[in-house]
Amino acid sequence: MSLALRVLDLGSVPVVRSQAVYHGIAEAMRAGDDPVLTLVSPDAPYVCIGMHQDVAAEVDEEYCRQAGLPILRRQVGGGAVYLDRNQLFFHFISPRETVPRRVTDIYAFHVAPVLAAYQALGIPARLRPINDIHVNDRKIGGTGAAQIGDATVFVGSFMLDFDTATMARCLKVPSEKFRDKLRSTLQDYITTIRRELGQVPPRETLTTLFRLHVARHFGAALRDDKLRPEEEAAIVAWEQKLQTADWLRQPGTRRVPEGIKITGGMHLGEGVHKAPGGLLRVCLLSRDDRVAEAHISGDFTCLPASGIETLSGALAGMDLRDDLPTRIDPLMTSLGLDMPGVTALDLATALHNAHRPVG
Amino acid sequence: MATVRGCVFPDDLYYDVPNNMWYREEAGGTVVAGMTTVAVALAGQLVAVTPKKAGRPVLAGKSCATIESGKWVGPAKIAFDGEVIAVNDALVAEPGIANADPYADGWLMRVRPATWDEAKKSLVPGNQVAAPYEAKMAADGFAGCVCKT
């Protein structure tokens, strides 16, 4: 074995440190240093937003304040997530020159031992490119990548258990109906080690398996180590930075449509459109650019009244990249719907407003 | 214009090959900076660009902007000390411009270098960039600018 990998198993750490640790180690890393794997869990729950998100737009800050949930911004992309002690975070931190440069390759390179550890537990995890880990079409964990200083950072977590209700409660959503849908969707499409196995293995079992597969995959000699003074200093500096209002409150600049990514390819969004006949509101769960579920509501008139629910159901499977008005119009006709001031084009517009295309 | 493994490099620019940045001299002592086709090919479709604000100093080898591709966050590193004169607001509003047109509409910022003549010595002129980029791509195992996914 030629590669030496320092392993820093830090156990349970305070919330801020659980994020600061990889930022600080990366910043302190120099060319020629050994890569590092850190294993850590937060000792309390919190909410973590992506680098370019706007905290006020993404998080229900009032709920978090009342619930005592801190909110932190990470220098890694992606969306807002609820994190707690039921997740075992792993962070691979490597000098840039030692790992692939192309983003898709960074994920493929690092995720293999994660999948192997899940599989060794009896969970058939696989990578859903680019960066989701799935078990039978349910997501069991997300991953992220960044360059911090001169280091490439790959982060993720083993999902021991997951509180979907609190996750749904923490996020800012357009309506309580949407929140209900978010909660049930998370419940349907997120899985955990507990859900797959019926129990959570001891932490040591998981870390031992993971370390074994990390060593095999990278051909690396793993060496338990402690934080170096320069790493500790950099982590402390990041702890301070992560808690400043300037860092948390920086304006979000992520230019993607609203809504919530449930898994790779699956998105929950709400679209609103003002038609001459009234306001249309569509809560859309899309999967690979097709309608998985749609719920149409609003202050328009539909006769018969039950017709709108029938129409919502009939939209399932529709390809959102199609010319939607020409698909919806015959549905309205065949269902005999009378919707004064609401055309197929209006419904298509509301659907379009709720949809975030894959890719 | 040089083409290396499908990545193009206009002749009239200067390049910081290790950091995948380009620079265009302007009259009046300012320089326009941007990311090369290699930078955006590595990152993928950009979803956010946050450059340092106009009036702020930038330091050689340090980040002048943070970019996010949805699956990756990283810095754009500038090659010299200077001051940000202007940023490309259109790019901030629509980061995908950098993927579509990295050498023109996708420019990142206008900078007044502290000592441009000195900075230029560390950069590679466009008419000489093919060989160093081929060497870098070979060392990095970079297949080229056609997306593999």
Side-chain angles (χ1 to χ4, degrees):
Chain A
M1 292 183 178
S2 57
L3 178 69
L5 181 71
R6 294 172 61 215
V7 178
L8 305 173
D9 188 343
L10 304 175
S12 178
V13 301
V15 163
V16 179
R17 177 150 288 225
S18 72
Q19 288 296 320
V21 64
Y22 62 87
H23 292 82
I25 293 171
E27 194 143 293
M29 185 164 273
R30 297 290 173 262
D33 283 354
D34 289 337
V36 173
L37 167 62
T38 64
L39 298 168
V40 61
S41 294
D43 66 4
Y46 65 102
V47 174
C48 188
I49 64 170
M51 176 65 201
H52 288 104
Q53 287 193 300
D54 188 325
V55 63
E58 304 290 345
V59 180
D60 187 334
E61 293 185 82
E62 178 57 23
Y63 169 77
C64 290
R65 191 186 63 75
Q66 290 176 5
L69 292 172
I71 305 169
L72 297 177
R73 179 190 299 279
R74 61 184 181 272
Q75 194 167 307
V76 176
V81 287
Y82 169 77
L83 303 170
D84 64 17
R85 65 184 67 194
N86 286 315
Q87 293 168 51
L88 172 62
F89 301 165
F90 52 81
H91 313 119
F92 288 99
I93 306 146
S94 309
R96 280 187 73 205
E97 66 275 11
T98 64
V99 293
R101 298 293 178 91
R102 194 188 285 268
V103 172
T104 49
D105 296 339
I106 292 172
Y107 285 103
F109 178 77
H110 288 95
V111 83
V114 182
L115 300 180
Y118 272 123
Q119 289 160 5
L121 285 169
I123 298 172
R126 63 176 182 81
L127 176 66
R128 188 193 191 281
I130 298 175
N131 67 327
D132 278 347
I133 299 173
H134 277 212
V135 179
N136 298 326
D137 280 343
R138 288 196 177 104
K139 179 176 172 176
I140 199 166
T143 56
Q147 183 189 335
I148 299 176
D150 288 323
T152 294
V153 176
F154 175 80
V155 304
S157 65
F158 286 102
M159 299 266 277
L160 310 176
D161 209 346
F162 191 60
D163 184 346
T164 51
T166 304
M167 168 81 179
R169 192 62 197 81
C170 292
L171 301 184
K172 181 160 278 187
V173 293
S175 65
E176 286 309 305
K177 193 170 183 179
F178 186 98
R179 193 186 303 286
D180 289 343
K181 185 60 193 168
L182 172 60
R183 182 166 39 239
S184 64
T185 304
L186 289 172
Q187 183 64 32
D188 288 346
Y189 292 102
I190 301 287
T191 191
T192 65
I193 291 176
R194 179 182 295 283
R195 184 167 177 170
E196 295 297 321
L197 300 180
Q199 60 180 347
V200 176
R203 184 181 192 277
E204 191 179 350
T205 301
L206 181 55
T207 57
T208 301
L209 275 175
F210 186 43
R211 291 166 60 121
L212 175 71
H213 287 286
V214 168
R216 276 188 193 164
H217 177 71
F218 295 120
L222 272 53
R223 175 167 53 91
D224 283 298
D225 204 0
K226 294 179 178 173
L227 289 168
R228 295 170 177 164
E230 66 273 21
E231 292 171 334
E232 178 63 36
I235 292 168
V236 169
W238 267 99
E239 286 176 329
Q240 293 167 353
K241 180 175 180 176
L242 292 177
Q243 294 180 88
T244 61
D246 282 352
W247 174 257
L248 178 65
R249 299 281 166 198
Q250 57 187 287
T253 56
R254 210 164 190 272
R255 301 297 174 182
V256 293
E258 299 300 321
I260 295 167
K261 175 192 163 192
I262 305 297
T263 71
M266 180 168 280
H267 174 257
L268 182 63
E270 183 175 84
V272 175
H273 172 63
K274 185 79 176 82
L279 191 74
L280 290 172
R281 194 181 298 276
V282 174
C283 181
L284 172 68
L285 181 66
S286 59
R287 186 167 205 167
D288 296 332
D289 293 323
R290 287 181 178 274
V291 176
E293 288 179 45
H295 296 278
I296 304 168
S297 60
D299 61 5
F300 56 89
T301 299
C302 180
L303 297 172
S306 62
I308 200 62
E309 192 174 331
T310 309
L311 176 62
S312 294
L315 294 174
M318 188 173 285
D319 191 330
L320 291 155
R321 296 159 296 191
D322 283 353
D323 180 21
L324 292 179
T326 62
R327 299 285 312 278
I328 294 171
D329 192 54
L331 280 177
M332 295 173 72
T333 302
S334 65
L335 293 171
L337 301 186
D338 184 8
M339 299 173 71
V342 177
T343 65
L345 178 60
D346 293 317
L347 286 163
T349 302
L351 269 171
H352 176 76
N353 291 344
H355 179 222
R356 188 169 87 191
V358 171
Chain B
M1 179 179 295
T3 302
V4 183
R5 300 193 185 198
C7 309
V8 297
F9 303 96
D11 288 342
D12 62 329
L13 306 179
Y14 289 85
Y15 295 89
D16 175 359
V17 175
N19 288 308
N20 295 315
M21 293 285 288
W22 60 260
Y23 301 97
R24 177 181 288 118
E25 286 182 298
E26 293 185 312
T30 57
V31 171
V32 175
M35 294 171 278
T36 67
T37 49
V38 178
V40 294
L42 288 169
Q45 189 68 27
L46 301 191
V47 298
V49 175
T50 309
K52 286 200 168 183
K53 293 183 173 63
R56 297 281 296 275
V58 288
L59 298 173
K62 300 295 184 185
S63 174
C64 65
T66 303
I67 64 174
E68 179 174 348
S69 66
K71 309 300 178 189
W72 181 80
V73 169
K77 292 187 174 182
I78 198 151
F80 44 80
D81 292 353
E83 178 188 347
V84 181
I85 301 301
V87 300
N88 184 355
D89 291 330
L91 178 68
V92 173
E94 195 59 59
I97 296 172
N99 298 90
D101 191 10
Y103 297 114
D105 289 349
W107 64 278
L108 180 58
M109 58 174 51
R110 178 169 284 109
V111 185
R112 186 177 301 284
T115 52
W116 174 238
D117 287 343
E118 195 63 30
K120 260 198 303 193
K121 294 176 185 172
S122 67
L123 303 174
V124 182
N127 59 6
Q128 298 170 30
V129 81
Y133 245 121
E134 175 56 43
K136 175 181 166 56
M137 291 175 183
D140 290 350
F142 178 71
C145 281
V146 178
C147 185
K148 295 194 300 183
T149 56

